[in-house]
Amino acid sequence: MSSSIAHLRKDYSQASLSEADVDPNPFAQFATWFDEALKAEVPEANAMSVATVGADGRPSSRILLIKDFDARGFTWYTNYASRKGRELAAHPYAALLFHWIPLERQVRIEGRVEQVPAEESDAYFAVRPLKSRLGAIASSQSETIENRAALEDRFARVESEYGDAPTRPAHWGGYRLIPDSIEFWQGRPSRLHDRIRYLLQADGTWRRERLQP
């Protein structure tokens, strides 16, 4: 590691997080922090890392955009036949990570993943921009292709065939992560960060605990 990288550091001092600060309901707490990220104009506040594990036990991660969250869980949309889709079919658990750098905050979410009902996927697909809908049909996500020209040719063929009324393909839709662990991380000075984790209990309630940084 070069010395210039080894000496990169920032002391966090914007805020604190105590057990008294957080809402008893982790979904309400997430809504509060998400709203604050939007008000702070954090770039791509809805961007999150989604980590999955394949049948071979190897993890992989990528950045996606959350499209909904409520007491049922956290929802995003993608190609079911993609690498992430195949991995979720083999091992239906995932970990999400939001990193709101300007606020010195992270949220880590873990749990089981399931496909959302078809009518929810239909409703979201219908409100996507037209070219995004056409792109979802044209792209066999995660599969190899000869070159960019071949991809653009496939898009042109799909655009010619479907026009301005594409319907959702069966291979594309939503996933919802149903959490059993949600951690809120607030950067603090001297790397003594605040970490409050919620754990789902057998009776459906959430237990809060503080983790060491």
Side-chain angles (χ1 to χ4, degrees):
M1 182 183 293
S2 70
S3 59
S4 60
I5 295 176
H7 289 88
L8 285 174
R9 58 176 52 86
K10 180 181 184 297
D11 212 22
Y12 301 125
S13 58
Q14 286 199 38
S16 63
L17 186 67
S18 73
E19 292 81 349
D21 294 331
V22 296
D23 194 285
N25 183 318
F27 298 106
Q29 179 62 37
F30 181 85
T32 296
W33 270 24
F34 189 79
D35 186 57
E36 290 175 357
L38 293 177
K39 289 178 179 177
E41 299 184 346
V42 172
E44 299 269 42
N46 58 333
M48 60 183 180
S49 169
V50 179
T52 54
V53 177
D56 57 1
R58 295 181 60 145
S60 64
S61 64
R62 71 289 290 164
I63 301 296
L64 298 175
L65 301 178
I66 191 173
K67 291 302 177 181
D68 191 23
F69 66 88
D70 54 28
R72 298 173 301 170
F74 299 81
T75 302
W76 68 93
Y77 292 85
T78 189
N79 188 314
Y80 290 145
S82 65
R83 179 179 177 180
K84 75 182 82 64
R86 296 193 300 270
E87 290 179 341
L88 287 170
H91 188 76
Y93 293 87
L96 312 181
L97 173 63
F98 292 85
H99 188 197
W100 297 317
I101 296 174
L103 299 179
E104 301 173 352
R105 288 175 173 173
Q106 298 181 58
V107 183
R108 301 172 63 188
I109 306 168
E110 300 175 13
R112 179 172 55 86
V113 178
E114 63 183 22
Q115 292 185 8
V116 306
E119 56 269 22
E120 288 188 38
S121 292
D122 289 339
Y124 175 68
F125 189 81
V127 300
R128 298 185 87 209
L130 174 60
K131 289 188 180 296
S132 294
R133 284 179 278 159
L134 294 170
I137 298 170
S139 174
S140 298
Q141 193 178 92
S142 301
E143 299 299 320
T144 59
I145 194 166
E146 308 91 284
N147 49 47
R148 177 76 189 189
L151 178 62
E152 292 176 351
D153 182 62
R154 291 180 62 172
F155 182 88
R157 293 199 307 270
V158 167
E159 188 173 31
S160 175
E161 178 180 353
Y162 287 89
D164 61 358
T167 56
R168 180 180 67 89
H171 65 259
W172 191 97
Y175 286 107
R176 179 174 293 116
L177 184 143
I178 303 166
D180 52 38
S181 173
I182 304 179
E183 179 191 327
F184 296 87
W185 182 101
Q186 178 69 60
R188 295 297 304 277
S190 304
R191 295 297 187 261
L192 295 177
H193 311 303
D194 288 327
R195 299 175 62 188
I196 303 294
R197 181 172 64 182
Y198 295 72
L199 292 174
L200 183 63
Q201 305 301 291
D203 62 0
T205 62
W206 291 88
R207 176 170 61 85
R208 283 174 288 171
E209 58 187 14
R210 174 174 286 271
L211 303 179
Q212 297 183 55

